[in-house]
Amino acid sequence: MGKSRTKRFKRPQFSPTGDCQAEAAGAANGTEGEEDDGPAAELLEKLQHPSAEVRECACAGLARLVQQRPALPGLARRDAVRRLGPLLLDPSLAVRETAAGALRNLSACGGFEVCDDMVTKDIMTPLVALLKECSAGLDSNEMSPQEKKDQNRNSIENIANEAMNVLWNICECSGRAVSIFNKEGCLEIVLKYLSRFPTNVDLAISVAYCLQTVTEDNPELLKSFSAPALHVLESAMLSPVSSMEYILLKTLVAGTIWNLKDIIPSKSQAEIINAILKILSDVLDVDAGETVIRMHEAEKQRLEAAAETEDVLESTSRGSLMEDDEMEEIPHKRKVRRKTFISDLLPPTDKELRETIALLTAQQTALEIVVNMCCSEDPSDDEWEELSSSDESDAFMENSFSECGGQLLSPLCLSHEVHTAFTNYLIPKKIFEKTAFPNSTAVDICFRSPTWKSLVRKMNTIQCRALVCLQSLVSLLDVDHLGGPAALQTLAQHLSQLLFAQPDFAKHVDFLEAISSALRALLQTMASKNISQCMTPNQLMTLCTAGIHSSNTGVRVNVVSILGITGSVLAKEDGTLETLKTIGCFLLEVATKDPSLVVAGEALDALFDVFADGKEAERASVQIKLLPALKEFQPVFKMKIRKEGRGKYSPDQLCVLDNVKMNLRRFVAYQETVEKRLTT
C-alpha cells in the first residue's frame, strides 16, 4: 500500500541490575516471582523504619523485587511509588541513592503504564527536588575536611546518576513527564551534570541519554537552549578522550545535537552535519567482534593477575597475624563483616565488559541516529553550505554557537549535499559491513562466559539496526551515492546470502523483519531504475512462504510487497506465465485469508501491481480465475473495513484501506475488460 515509512528508533527498556525482559520471560514460564506480595509488604513497611540502615536495605530489596514482573501489581496496590518518593529526600544520602535505584528499576522494568502511573502519583515533584539539591550540593564548597568533601561529592554524584536514570526512563514513556521537565527548568540542571563529563562519564552518559529523549519533537524545550547550553554539548562531543565510554557519550550527544537542528545558526549547519557524521563514521569503523575478543582476553589476564596478587597478600597477612603472641588461635581465613551497600546486591560489572557494552551500545545508537536522520520531516529547499569530509569537521563549530541569537535557517534536511556527505564519510559502506552476521569467534566466546553472554544479543541487534539503516539509505539516496547499479546488485546478492545462510531464518523475527524491509526497499529501487534483480523465483517463494506465517505483521507486509515488486517486473517479460500464476495464487490467498486488514490491503495492492499490465500477466490472471475471486471478496473486504476498521486501525491505516477498496473496484472493472478481450 505504497512505500513503508521507516520508524524512528526509541531505546529499549533497560534495567541496570538485570535483564527485565528475561525476568518477564521467566515469569511467564512460571520460573520467577511465584511468591505473593508478602515480601513487598514487609519491605514497604521497613521504608518507614527509624533506622537509616533498615530503610536503605528495604530500598535495595525493592530494587531487586521490581525486576520480577508478577510482583509489580502487588507493589502498585500497596502504593510503592508514593512510599518511595519521599525517600528521595531522606536525610541519609545512602537511603536517597538506594531509593532512586529502586525507582530506576521500577521505571525500567514496569514499562509505559508503570511510568505513566509514577507521573500520576507525583514522583516528579520529589525527583526534580532531588536533582536540584544534588546540583546545589555539587556547587557547595562548605564540606571539609577534604577527604569528607570528596566522599560526599562522590555520593551526591552517584545519587544524581540514579535520579537521572529515573528521569530518563519516565520521560521516555510519558509526555506529561517531558512537559514537567520543560516547566521545572530541568534543562539547566542536567546540563550542569553533563559538564562534569571529564570527571564522571557515567553521570554524563545518563544525562546524554535523557537529553536525547527530551529534545526529540519538543519545540518548547528548544527555546531554552542558550549559547552557553549549546557550548556544553559542543565540549562533550569534542572530548579528546577515546575510551569506549566516551565514544558512547559523544554518540549520544551527537544525537541530541541532531534533535536541535531547528535552532542551529545558519553558518554552523555545514560544520554540524560534518561533525555528527564524523562521529558516527568513527563509531561504526570499529570492529565490534575483534573488540569483544580483545577485551575478553584482557579481562582474563587481569583476573589471573589479580588472583596471583591476592594469594601473595593473603600469605603476607597470615604471616603478620602469626607474629601476634597474644593470639591463642588464629582462624585460617579471616572475613571482615561490613555494612551492606546496594553495590553489594548488584551483579559486578568488570571494566572490560563495561567498556565493550559501551562500544556496542554506541554502534547501535549511531545506526539509530542515521535512521532518524533519514526520517527527518519537513524538508527544506534552502541551500546548504558546501559539505565535505575534510578535516574542517575536527574544528567543529569554532565560535559557531556564539551567534545563536542570530538568524536561523529552517530545519536541516537530507539534501544533495548531505547525501554527498554521507558518501564521503563512507556511511553506506560501513552500514553495509555491519549487516554481516556477528564474528563467530566473538559469539562463541560470549556464549562460553555467563557474564558476556548477553553481548550476543547486542551484536545481533546491531546487525538488525544496520539492515534497517540500509533500508532507509536505499530509499533515500541516489543510485550513484549507493555505488551505482552494480553495487545494488551486489547488495541484493549479499542480502540473499544473509537470508538463506540461516535455514531457520523464519524463527528470528527481528532479523526477518529487518532484512525483509531492506530487501523490499532495495528491490523497489532496482525496479524503478530497471536494474535486473538477483533473487530466483524459488528463493522468492521460500522467503514469502516462511514470512507469511510470521506473527509479525511487518514481516507479512514486507513479503507480499516484495512479491508485488518482483511480479510487476516479471509481468513485462516473456516466459514468466507459471511464475506469475504462483505469485497470483499466493497473493490472492493472503488477501482473502490474512487476519490483518493491513496485510490483506497490501496483498491486494500487490495484485494490482502484478496484473496491471503485460500479456503474460493477462493470461495468468484468467488462468487463476482472479476476476471471480476478487468479485466474491469485494463485499467481504468492505464489510471487514466497516466492522473492524475503527476499533483496530489508526486513521492513517483506514485512509489507506479506503484507497485500496476504491482501487479494488477499479481493478475489477479493468479485469472484466481483460477477460472479455481474451475470451472473445
Side-chain angles (χ1 to χ4, degrees):
M1 296 186 292
K3 287 190 177 181
S4 62
R5 182 182 179 82
T6 305
K7 61 185 176 185
R8 287 186 171 220
F9 277 111
K10 299 286 187 178
R11 69 171 181 88
Q13 292 292 318
F14 168 73
S15 168
T17 63
D19 188 341
C20 295
Q21 294 179 345
E23 295 279 0
N29 294 327
T31 59
E32 286 287 350
E34 294 179 356
E35 312 96 327
D36 57 20
D37 59 352
E42 182 180 353
L43 290 170
L44 289 170
E45 285 298 323
K46 289 181 178 179
L47 294 180
Q48 309 301 321
H49 198 279
S51 167
E53 288 192 11
V54 173
R55 296 197 302 276
E56 180 188 356
C57 287
C59 289
L62 287 169
R64 299 287 296 273
L65 185 63
V66 297
Q67 295 181 74
Q68 302 175 14
R69 193 168 294 279
L72 295 180
L75 290 167
R77 285 195 302 272
R78 295 180 180 276
D79 221 4
V81 174
R82 290 191 191 277
R83 295 193 189 191
L84 279 167
L87 296 187
L88 293 175
L89 302 172
D90 193 275
S92 165
L93 293 182
V95 173
R96 290 186 180 196
E97 183 177 348
T98 49
L103 289 166
R104 172 183 180 176
N105 284 6
L106 179 62
S107 59
C109 296
F112 288 91
E113 290 185 5
V114 168
C115 287
D116 199 55
D117 184 60
M118 291 173 73
V119 178
T120 300
K121 292 178 178 175
D122 199 27
I123 194 61
M124 291 294 287
T125 296
L127 180 60
V128 172
L130 174 62
L131 290 167
K132 290 180 178 178
E133 284 197 18
C134 288
S135 177
L138 293 175
D139 287 339
S140 174
N141 292 317
E142 297 176 0
M143 293 179 285
S144 60
Q146 184 66 36
E147 183 177 355
K148 179 181 177 184
K149 178 179 178 180
D150 290 342
Q151 182 179 355
N152 282 359
R153 187 174 295 277
N154 288 337
S155 296
I156 292 172
E157 288 187 347
N158 291 340
I159 294 168
N161 188 36
E162 295 290 348
M164 280 305 311
N165 277 276
V166 179
L167 182 64
W168 166 33
N169 290 340
I170 295 176
C171 287
E172 181 75 19
C173 298
S174 170
R176 290 187 296 157
V178 175
S179 296
I180 295 170
F181 183 100
N182 294 346
K183 293 175 183 176
E184 292 293 330
C186 293
L187 179 63
E188 182 180 353
I189 301 169
V190 300
L191 285 173
K192 184 181 294 184
Y193 294 154
L194 180 62
S195 67
R196 305 186 73 82
F197 72 87
T199 57
N200 193 332
V201 68
D202 290 337
L203 176 58
I205 286 172
S206 298
V207 172
Y209 268 122
C210 187
L211 282 172
Q212 193 181 26
T213 294
V214 298
T215 54
E216 186 172 358
D217 300 324
N218 188 356
E220 181 182 347
L221 182 64
L222 300 195
K223 300 173 185 176
S224 304
F225 274 89
S226 60
L230 293 169
H231 275 298
V232 173
L233 295 175
E234 177 189 357
S235 299
M237 196 166 81
L238 290 178
S239 170
V241 184
S242 58
S243 71
M244 296 180 194
E245 288 97 338
Y246 277 88
I247 288 174
L248 174 58
L249 173 64
K250 289 187 279 190
T251 305
L252 291 167
V253 174
T256 299
I257 291 177
W258 175 258
N259 290 342
L260 301 178
K261 57 188 176 292
D262 290 14
I263 64 168
I264 300 302
S266 58
K267 288 186 178 180
S268 304
Q269 291 192 352
E271 290 89 346
I272 287 170
I273 195 66
N274 274 291
I276 291 175
L277 290 180
K278 184 177 188 303
I279 287 174
L280 302 184
S281 178
D282 290 346
V283 170
L284 295 175
D285 212 24
V286 181
D287 188 320
E290 291 298 325
T291 300
V292 168
I293 296 169
R294 187 181 75 253
M295 297 301 285
H296 186 271
E297 180 62 25
E299 179 191 69
K300 180 181 175 182
Q301 293 178 4
R302 177 178 59 81
L303 293 176
E304 289 174 353
E308 292 175 3
T309 303
E310 185 178 351
D311 289 342
V312 172
L313 291 175
E314 184 178 337
S315 176
T316 304
S317 176
R318 192 179 303 124
S320 298
L321 288 171
M322 292 301 294
E323 293 175 2
D324 190 345
D325 294 332
E326 296 181 4
M327 295 291 263
E328 296 181 1
E329 183 178 351
I330 304 296
H332 199 64
K333 285 191 177 181
R334 187 175 182 181
K335 292 185 178 179
V336 179
R337 184 178 180 84
R338 66 178 177 82
K339 180 181 175 184
T340 300
F341 293 96
I342 187 171
S343 58
D344 300 313
L345 302 175
L346 306 183
T349 303
D350 293 327
K351 176 179 183 292
E352 295 81 7
L353 177 59
R354 181 184 181 88
E355 289 187 5
T356 307
I357 290 173
L359 172 67
L360 295 177
T361 305
Q363 292 197 338
Q364 178 181 332
T365 303
L367 292 166
E368 292 170 357
I369 291 171
V370 171
V371 172
N372 290 347
M373 291 174 76
C374 293
C375 291
S376 291
E377 298 175 359
D378 303 322
S380 164
D381 290 328
D382 292 305
E383 290 296 325
W384 271 52
E385 295 177 28
E386 183 176 350
L387 300 173
S388 70
S389 59
S390 66
D391 290 339
E392 69 184 9
S393 59
D394 292 329
F396 164 61
M397 296 185 300
E398 182 179 356
N399 299 322
S400 59
F401 284 138
S402 60
E403 58 170 313
C404 189
Q407 182 181 3
L408 304 181
L409 242 92
S410 51
L412 306 184
C413 64
L414 289 186
S415 63
H416 175 77
E417 289 82 1
V418 184
H419 292 183
T420 302
F422 264 70
T423 307
N424 289 343
Y425 281 107
L426 304 178
I427 297 294
K429 178 178 180 293
K430 293 175 182 181
I431 289 172
F432 173 83
E433 291 169 353
K434 296 299 178 188
T435 62
F437 288 114
N439 183 307
S440 58
T441 303
V443 170
D444 289 342
I445 288 172
C446 292
F447 270 130
R448 290 198 299 267
S449 173
T451 55
W452 288 67
K453 190 174 181 180
S454 63
L455 269 61
V456 176
R457 183 173 182 176
K458 288 183 175 295
M459 287 187 282
N460 288 332
T461 298
I462 288 172
Q463 182 194 27
C464 290
R465 293 293 189 268
L467 287 166
V468 176
C469 254
L470 197 61
Q471 173 205 352
S472 298
L473 292 178
V474 167
S475 301
L476 208 70
L477 298 182
D478 296 334
V479 172
D480 290 341
H481 286 126
L482 294 168
L488 294 187
Q489 289 180 321
T490 301
L491 180 55
Q493 291 174 342
H494 168 71
L495 294 180
S496 298
Q497 290 168 358
L498 281 180
L499 183 62
F500 296 107
Q502 291 194 118
D504 58 345
F505 66 83
K507 296 179 181 178
H508 304 280
V509 177
D510 290 342
F511 170 76
L512 184 55
E513 182 178 17
I515 197 167
S516 61
S517 296
L519 269 172
R520 176 184 180 178
L522 178 60
L523 294 176
Q524 180 66 57
T525 298
M526 293 174 73
S528 66
K529 302 298 182 182
N530 294 319
I531 302 171
S532 59
Q533 303 184 10
C534 302
M535 287 186 71
T536 67
N538 285 340
Q539 287 179 325
L540 184 69
M541 295 312 301
T542 299
L543 165 62
C544 295
T545 301
I548 207 61
H549 293 106
S550 173
S551 60
N552 185 296
T553 302
V555 171
R556 304 204 304 277
V557 166
N558 285 336
V559 296
V560 297
S561 178
I562 287 171
L563 268 185
I565 294 165
T566 305
S568 64
V569 172
L570 293 175
K572 299 178 178 65
E573 300 176 3
D574 295 329
T576 57
L577 176 63
E578 294 303 319
T579 303
L580 290 173
K581 287 166 62 177
T582 302
I583 291 174
C585 290
F586 185 95
L587 292 173
L588 192 56
E589 184 172 2
V590 174
T592 55
K593 294 184 179 179
D594 195 285
S596 168
L597 279 175
V598 172
V599 179
E602 189 73 42
L604 287 170
D605 225 18
L607 281 169
F608 304 157
D609 290 339
V610 174
F611 297 100
D613 192 21
K615 292 182 179 180
E616 296 283 66
E618 291 179 351
R619 290 172 57 205
S621 67
V622 172
Q623 291 183 25
I624 66 172
K625 297 181 170 50
L626 181 61
L627 178 59
L630 291 180
K631 276 187 171 181
E632 183 180 350
F633 180 62
Q634 194 172 7
V636 177
F637 187 63
K638 287 182 180 179
M639 182 187 66
K640 281 187 174 183
I641 294 176
R642 188 170 62 252
K643 285 189 174 182
E644 302 175 16
R646 294 190 181 279
K648 293 174 64 175
Y649 302 100
S650 68
D652 288 343
Q653 289 173 325
L654 287 175
C655 181
V656 173
L657 287 170
D658 281 337
N659 284 335
V660 173
K661 181 177 66 176
M662 181 174 62
N663 290 336
L664 175 58
R665 185 176 69 249
R666 293 172 177 172
F667 186 74
V668 166
Y670 165 72
Q671 282 294 310
E672 286 175 339
T673 62
V674 169
E675 190 162 304
K676 185 181 296 184
R677 186 175 71 251
L678 292 179
T679 55
T680 55

